[in-house]
Amino acid sequence: MNDPLISLLERLVIAQESTAQSMSQVADRLDLLIQAMGEDEPEDPDAQPLTYMDGTPCR
């Protein structure tokens, strides 16, 4: 192969590695966001309670 083609391919690999790293960071942050949203969701006020006020489970 000639030198310009090799240089172009090397730059392409570097760009792809950078893109993959950025996508991985985005995926990690989205995972954290989804977890946080799941924790902060309020309970449905119309749902049947799972326990009585004293903590015993409802049947």
Side-chain angles (χ1 to χ4, degrees):
M1 283 199 247
N2 56 16
D3 289 338
L5 183 56
I6 291 173
S7 176
L8 179 62
L9 290 173
E10 287 173 343
R11 287 186 283 154
L12 181 61
V13 168
I14 290 169
Q16 287 177 334
E17 289 172 345
S18 176
T19 300
Q21 183 180 11
S22 296
M23 296 290 285
S24 178
Q25 290 175 353
V26 168
D28 291 343
R29 290 182 180 148
L30 283 175
D31 186 46
L32 290 174
L33 176 62
I34 291 168
Q35 288 176 11
M37 289 174 67
E39 293 171 359
D40 292 341
E41 251 184 71
E43 292 183 26
D44 181 5
D46 297 326
Q48 293 290 331
L50 300 176
T51 58
Y52 292 105
M53 293 178 81
D54 67 356
T56 57
C58 297
R59 296 182 186 182

